[in-house]
Amino acid sequence: MTVKQFPKGFLWGGATAANQFEGAWNEGGRGPATSDTAVAVKPEDRKNIEDFSAPMTREKIEFALNDKEGLYPKRWGSDFYHRYQEDIALYAEMGFKTFRLSIAWSRIFPNGDDAQPNEEGLQFYDNVFDACAKYGIEPLVTLSHYETPIGIALNYGGWKNRQVIDLFVKYAETVLTRYKDKVKYWLTFNEINIMGISGYVGGALVSEDGTQSLSEMYQAVHHQFIASSLATKFAHEINPGIKVGMMLARMQSYPATPNPADVMEEIKKDHENLFFSDVQVRGKYPAYTKRFFKENNIEVTFEEGDLDILAQYPVDFMSFSYYMSSIARHNPEEGGESTAGNFLLGESNPYLAASDWGWQIDPIGLRVTLNNLYDRYEVPLFIVENGLGALDQVEEDGSIHDTYRIDYLKAHIEQMYEAIEDGVELMGYTSWGCTDLVSASTSEMSKRYGFVYVDADDEGNGSFDRSRKDSFFWYKEVIETNGANVLNE
Ligand code: BG6
């Protein structure tokens, strides 16, 4: 009998982001970032994340920066800044081939537009990458993961301002130059489509009158497309071995019924999601843009040469997060219950179970999406986020029996294998929040994804000490056997 396994060289690992993991928001010369103004959501409001997408005003930002009462958990994260040696050693123990992290832009350029980079910030990431190298772990680095320097919001209004392209390119060139021989895999913008949900989280957009137009959001994302292409160009010039990817929050959707009107609705929903990868992978705005922009009164200014830049410097691979699927229905009044999701609310699918936070669990949807994306783009794919946010229980002896997490991951890994068998080229898999970290949407600590537990609560109380959950030992075996323990049960 042949043993089923993942392809040789498959990049198993885990994923994090500076704003949710590092902490030390005002240490080492780091400037404040947009993530530092995020207030913790109370457990009773978990499913209501309207605030997350509300337009951000200057007053709200200034209030948060001066507030002495509110809880801003992303400022302390999980204290990776001081514990990176121990964290990376734990990843090595699990056998990680890769570790996804982001660079906090405001650690390098504290105000976003400083003349010179902050050497202490640069040195910190040198130390992190050296620690990875010690164990043969390949870093996978996101340049921008919801953590734009606050100066870019306050002094430029965010990414709707074209000047921000130059500021980002300067930052990207600085870190690419510094780490060109230490980091092979780069992602430009985390979940670039988040812009359509929160202009502030995705693009540091500041609203003068409390409103946010779609034109501003798409203008901002156009600037990010250009900035991403210019960073890709530079990366290839400085080291042709570097691979740059785009990153999409993938929302696989299904027609609610076989009614052709629902099928067409699903195509439209898919276009809204795939617009971003269509531009970044294919290097051009897709044909459906014209109608979409017209019907939604979206006006975007293109400068001469923009389309050439997009065409000349597309990404090398596509990465994405996958947590759930959604439903498309032409007439929402005929629909059923709604469900929560990462930043999106949708109609709930009666065939699927949901997590404690109401995110519907759909492993087969991952195979569907891998097939769809590979059929569409034929570039290597990388799953850089997937996982289960859950409440963990620490037993008296300190153990944590997170079988629900193991079941979730196992089911998704099985479907990844099927997709590879279908012919999909999949580079790797980095499970989200490999060490517990602060949630992006609700800023809670109690929503845990990790293999490694962090002793901290929602208010930031605790020792922040690390411990191994049952999933830690299970994932170690997954990597050791290259998936064989899951696939040959
Ligand atoms: C993704 C983000 O959308 O989902 C991460 O890239 C985030 O930053 C993850 O943490 C899970 O979402 P949440 O809200 O459960 O932390």
Side-chain angles (χ1 to χ4, degrees):
M1 202 184 90
T2 31
V3 177
K4 291 189 201 166
Q5 264 186 338
F6 277 76
K8 210 166 159 253
F10 189 77
L11 292 166
W12 294 103
T16 62
N19 79 88
Q20 294 159 256
F21 194 37
E22 262 179 27
W25 76 300
N26 54 8
E27 288 179 53
R30 180 189 181 280
T34 47
S35 47
D36 300 324
T37 64
V39 188
V41 172
K42 296 195 186 75
E44 57 271 29
D45 296 329
R46 270 175 191 158
K47 291 189 185 170
N48 172 14
I49 53 162
E50 272 165 28
D51 267 6
F52 185 87
S53 34
M56 188 54 125
T57 59
R58 177 177 299 277
E59 291 69 36
K60 283 201 231 169
I61 296 176
E62 279 163 358
F63 172 82
L65 291 177
N66 296 312
D67 184 18
K68 301 274 178 282
E69 314 274 296
L71 278 179
Y72 299 90
K74 287 170 186 157
R75 297 181 184 179
W76 57 78
S78 303
D79 199 30
F80 175 73
Y81 187 75
H82 297 111
R83 296 169 190 250
Y84 66 92
Q85 297 278 12
E86 181 189 351
D87 285 333
I88 294 167
L90 284 162
Y91 303 151
E93 194 180 322
M94 275 187 279
F96 276 24
K97 311 288 179 211
T98 187
F99 166 45
R100 177 176 176 224
L101 70 159
S102 67
I103 295 179
W105 183 351
S106 68
R107 231 178 243 301
I108 309 301
F109 289 99
N111 300 294
D113 59 358
D114 313 70
Q116 296 301 326
N118 168 34
E119 177 55 32
E120 210 176 335
L122 288 167
Q123 188 56 53
F124 170 67
Y125 294 104
D126 264 319
N127 298 346
V128 169
F129 300 143
D130 291 348
C132 290
K134 189 167 120 193
Y135 300 109
I137 297 173
E138 194 82 63
L140 164 62
V141 174
T142 318
L143 286 167
S144 181
H145 191 132
Y146 304 166
E147 52 217 356
T148 313
I150 209 82
I152 289 186
L154 292 174
N155 305 326
Y156 295 85
W159 274 94
K160 63 183 180 234
N161 184 336
R162 195 168 171 110
Q163 285 172 280
V164 179
I165 298 179
D166 292 342
L167 301 177
F168 178 84
V169 170
K170 180 172 172 186
Y171 154 64
E173 290 187 359
T174 303
V175 294
L176 281 159
T177 305
R178 177 89 168 209
Y179 309 123
K180 67 179 184 346
D181 301 319
K182 296 188 180 182
V183 180
K184 180 173 174 193
Y185 299 109
W186 296 80
L187 306 176
T188 48
F189 293 92
N190 180 64
E191 297 188 332
I192 190 161
N193 52 318
I194 194 73
M195 187 76 80
I197 297 143
S198 168
Y200 180 65
V201 173
L205 295 188
V206 177
S207 159
E208 297 311 328
D209 59 0
T211 64
Q212 192 109 88
S213 73
L214 279 176
S215 294
E216 281 176 337
M217 288 165 140
Y218 278 87
Q219 185 69 61
V221 99
H222 175 70
H223 293 153
Q224 292 189 339
F225 289 152
I226 301 294
S228 175
S229 286
L230 293 174
T232 306
K233 170 180 185 281
F234 184 80
H236 291 159
E237 281 166 6
I238 198 157
N239 180 351
I242 288 179
K243 301 282 176 211
V244 184
M246 65 83 56
M247 174 5 177
L248 183 80
R250 176 61 178 144
M251 297 293 156
Q252 176 62 48
S253 52
Y254 305 122
T257 71
N259 179 345
D262 287 343
V263 175
M264 194 57 227
E265 199 58 41
E266 191 276 327
I267 290 178
K268 281 199 212 161
K269 204 168 171 164
D270 222 23
H271 281 169
E272 276 179 42
N273 187 230
L274 295 176
F275 163 77
F276 303 84
S277 39
D278 280 353
V279 175
Q280 294 197 283
V281 179
R282 292 169 163 165
K284 57 179 188 188
Y285 274 70
Y288 55 79
T289 311
K290 210 168 149 196
R291 181 170 190 174
F292 177 70
F293 277 15
K294 195 169 154 212
E295 289 184 350
N296 292 287
N297 297 317
I298 297 170
E299 280 177 34
V300 174
T301 307
F302 287 65
E303 280 197 2
E304 212 186 318
D306 280 2
L307 295 180
D308 290 340
I309 292 173
L310 297 178
Q312 280 177 42
Y313 312 109
V315 288
D316 301 309
F317 66 95
M318 175 179 183
S319 77
F320 64 94
S321 61
Y322 176 84
Y323 292 95
M324 78 210 65
S325 55
S326 69
I327 282 185
R329 188 186 289 279
H330 179 65
N331 181 359
E333 279 168 23
E334 290 169 5
E337 295 256 297
S338 73
T339 177
N342 59 337
F343 318 127
L344 287 180
L345 294 174
E347 188 182 324
S348 107
N349 184 334
Y351 295 94
L352 303 175
S355 76
D356 293 344
W357 271 257
W359 297 20
Q360 291 204 304
I361 301 170
D362 181 12
I364 295 179
L366 178 56
R367 178 178 177 189
V368 173
T369 233
L370 282 163
N371 273 279
N372 283 346
L373 297 177
Y374 197 67
D375 288 352
R376 193 176 186 105
Y377 301 125
E378 291 188 322
V379 296
L381 302 177
F382 205 143
I383 302 165
V384 295
E385 282 187 38
N386 170 243
L388 181 71
L391 295 162
D392 288 338
Q393 168 78 38
V394 185
E395 305 299 333
E396 269 183 25
D397 65 355
S399 57
I400 296 150
H401 305 306
D402 56 342
T403 39
Y404 36 90
R405 184 167 293 112
I406 295 174
D407 292 345
Y408 177 102
L409 295 172
K410 197 164 151 288
H412 286 80
I413 290 171
E414 281 165 358
Q415 295 302 320
M416 276 153 49
Y417 177 79
E418 293 300 329
I420 293 172
E421 289 292 286
D422 294 335
V424 170
E425 199 180 336
L426 184 60
M427 295 165 71
Y429 175 78
T430 56
S431 161
W432 177 249
C434 41
T435 301
D436 292 343
L437 40 66
V438 174
S439 147
S441 54
T442 57
S443 292
E444 289 167 288
M445 191 68 197
S446 43
K447 185 181 192 187
R448 297 171 185 275
Y449 287 84
F451 304 116
V452 176
Y453 185 84
V454 174
D455 173 39
D457 67 12
D458 290 341
E459 278 86 47
N461 305 308
S463 65
F464 286 74
D465 285 350
R466 284 31 182 169
S467 58
R468 297 163 183 80
K469 303 182 194 178
D470 285 0
S471 58
F472 178 99
F473 302 101
W474 169 82
Y475 196 50
K476 181 176 190 299
E477 206 186 325
V478 171
I479 301 178
E480 228 161 55
T481 64
N482 202 13
N485 67 329
V486 168
L487 303 172
N488 301 278
E489 272 187 336

